[in-house]
Amino acid sequence: MNSIIAEVEKKFQKKDKPGGFQIGDNVDVHVRIIEGDKERVQIFSGTVIKIKGRQNNLRSTFTVRRIVSGEGVERVFPYHSPSIVKVEVRRTGKARRAKLYFLRDRVGKATKVKERREEEGVEGQAPALSKKEAEAVTT
Amino acid sequence: MTTTAATRSKRKALLGRKIGMTQAYREDGKWVPITVLEVGPCTVLQVKTPETDGYAAIQVGFGETLKAAAWPQQKLFQKVKTRTKKFVQEIPPVEAATVYRAPLFSEVGGTVEYLHLTPGGNLIEKKVPRTKLILRAVKSQPAAAPVEGKESEAAPAGGQEPAAPQAPDAPSAALAVKNMSGSVLKEYALPPGSSIEVANGATVADGDLLAYVVVKEPVAQVSPGCQIGVGLFTGTGRVDVSGITKGKGFQGCIKRHHFNAGPKSHGSKNLREPGSTGMHTEPGRVLPGKRMPGHLGAAKRKARNLKVLQIDPEDNLMLVTGSVPGPNGGFVYIEESLKKK
């Protein structure tokens, strides 16, 4: 890429971009919404089924899937979007794939991703938990 | 260099280059496609006045090349002591407050184009690709950051004294190569007592200016040799950008005039044909202006009312929404929009 364009893109990158979640995690995404002249924060909670691109890339996104009244809803969030306030991890998930597209074919209880625990991390291929996540699991 | 309507208008205008396209976020979190333009600095080559030329305009040049221009133009460049400019156009007169004087490359370093770092048998050849690239030999303590801040660009011209006072008995030296946004591209540590040799044989001591540094000095009057940067467009909401579109060669009616293609099957022999070109014996000829295959592209086109997202006077960058004509690196003419503000 042209170095000047890279410099320009760097300026648009968020310094406090959301992070700390992995594929399969159940997250709450806090999105800033502007209605007329009012501004409020909406929460979209679901499972992270896709993380696209590196986070230092301006165009990187993550996809969150949830079931709303029996219908699957997926929302794509750009990491660097100014409208994303924060992302909270509700429940860590154990995933052996980088993209959890198979969840789209599942209904009901089968859509649940197994919870990621430290012991399972050793036997499975799930990455070891960071300190923060370990706390989240125990609490 | 012709007198166009644009030159007679009072719209702010400047020359530039299309860097390329990318995306950016608006404040409300929405994506917008943007084009990055390098706008100026343009060197004033000639100031035309109603008294001498019948109209008021400023002839400016943009884009340096080492090649010689045609003789009449070459004399013009020599007069203002500048390199040959690839893109020369006339713009409407501007106020002197928006113009500044910067030491021209030829005034500062002349032929400093290749640098050889000889000490320690460490021969490095570095071409200076952009006039904005700052090459500076900086004396420093080993632990201290040897990089000069952006403030150094406001140092007095002439080039023999760096802005930051350096200890004369500093144990080691370093050469910092910075890019236009001030971040260090590469740093060369030099052994104590070393010197930097320039390709033309001259020896440069520590702290000497090695290449072009943008120093903006205000001027009272617009005169040849002055520079106009993107700061001219401060406060401008929308711009028109014109350039030469990419050449497409000889194209058919479908690509060139958006004709509809014929059916692909059922024995059709009319897939991409232009169809009928007219009537019968009356009038017995093809009417002028009939749209037909032919050469497409490589023509001057103007993208109008592009919103200016950002202006960066330091780096002479302008971010506009949407696309502009021409390839990346192509020259463009940027002017204030007429229709929308």
Side-chain angles (χ1 to χ4, degrees), chain B residues 5 9 14 36 46 50 58 68 87 130 156 158 177 189 192 206 215 217 222 230 234 238 263 271 296 310 323 337:
Chain B
S9 80
L14 214 55
V36 183
Q46 202 180 351
I58 300 173
F87 190 39
R130 296 169 62 84
V177 181
D206 293 331
V215 183
E217 297 165 12
V222 182
V230 73
T234 310
R238 284 174 188 270
L271 180 53
L296 177 66
Q310 245 181 44
S323 56
S337 276

Side-chain angles (χ1 to χ4, degrees), chain B residues 75-316:
Chain B
K75 288 192 89 172
L76 199 66
F77 296 133
Q78 281 170 1
K79 218 186 262 177
V80 294
K81 288 186 191 147
T82 180
R83 288 246 175 90
T84 306
K85 299 290 181 186
K86 280 196 211 165
F87 190 39
V88 177
Q89 291 274 308
E90 283 181 8
I91 62 168
V94 294
E95 286 171 25
T98 56
V99 180
Y100 60 89
R101 191 170 267 281
L104 298 160
F105 193 95
S106 42
E107 289 172 9
V108 176
T111 52
V112 182
E113 193 71 18
Y114 293 90
L115 297 173
H116 301 263
L117 305 188
T118 46
N122 193 12
L123 185 79
I124 301 161
E125 197 168 313
K126 181 89 191 168
K127 197 180 180 204
V128 183
R130 296 169 62 84
T131 51
K132 280 173 192 154
L133 194 74
I134 297 159
L135 282 169
R136 209 181 245 270
V138 183
K139 250 182 183 176
S140 70
Q141 306 290 335
V147 188
E148 303 238 331
K150 272 216 141 169
E151 314 83 62
S152 69
E153 293 179 27
Q160 291 311 307
E161 274 295 315
Q166 303 288 344
D169 55 346
S172 75
L175 176 72
V177 181
K178 300 197 297 180
N179 71 356
M180 41 174 284
S181 61
S183 47
V184 178
L185 291 177
K186 208 163 184 182
E187 217 171 88
Y188 306 105
L190 305 177
S194 60
S195 64
I196 296 163
E197 222 170 79
V198 184
N200 58 10
T203 310
V204 181
D206 293 331
D208 276 1
L209 194 63
L210 297 181
Y212 190 78
V213 178
V214 178
V215 183
K216 295 177 179 176
E217 297 165 12
V219 293
Q221 196 188 349
V222 182
S223 58
C226 288
Q227 308 274 319
I228 310 174
V230 73
L232 178 72
F233 287 104
T234 310
T236 301
R238 284 174 188 270
V239 288
D240 294 348
V241 181
S242 50
I244 308 289
T245 57
K246 288 181 185 174
K248 308 281 182 194
F250 193 98
Q251 295 295 336
C253 281
I254 292 168
K255 195 182 184 79
R256 193 169 181 229
H257 301 298
H258 305 295
F259 280 19
N260 290 341
K264 278 184 175 175
S265 57
H266 298 294
S268 166
K269 293 175 178 176
N270 185 29
L271 180 53
R272 294 179 74 91
E273 298 301 312
S276 165
T277 58
M279 291 66 82
H280 204 236
T281 39
E282 182 65 37
R285 63 192 166 92
V286 176
L287 297 178
K290 181 73 208 158
R291 293 176 299 168
M292 285 194 178
H295 188 264
L296 177 66
K300 191 173 178 182
R301 290 287 179 268
K302 189 185 276 182
R304 290 171 205 269
N305 301 324
L306 305 177
K307 206 169 176 189
V308 179
L309 212 66
Q310 245 181 44
I311 280 177
D312 189 347
E314 282 290 316
D315 298 337
N316 282 301

Side-chain angles (χ1 to χ4, degrees), chain B residues 31-48:
Chain B
W31 280 116
V32 276
I34 59 166
T35 305
V36 183
L37 301 173
E38 183 190 5
V39 185
C42 296
T43 308
V44 176
L45 301 174
Q46 202 180 351
V47 180
K48 299 197 170 179

Side-chain angles (χ1 to χ4, degrees), chain A residues 107-125:
Chain A
V107 282
K109 210 176 170 190
T111 55
K112 263 194 151 181
V113 179
K114 242 189 190 175
E115 190 150 353
R116 176 157 37 100
R117 293 182 193 281
E118 233 159 336
E119 310 87 77
E120 289 176 346
V122 178
E123 61 158 67
Q125 285 182 346

Side-chain angles (χ1 to χ4, degrees), chain A residues 7 9 11 58-59 78 80, chain B residues 22-23 25 130 179 181 312:
Chain A
E7 293 284 336
E9 284 186 359
K11 284 180 194 166
L58 187 64
R59 278 172 281 273
H80 294 273
Chain B
T22 178
Q23 293 164 302
Y25 289 104
R130 296 169 62 84
N179 71 356
S181 61
D312 189 347

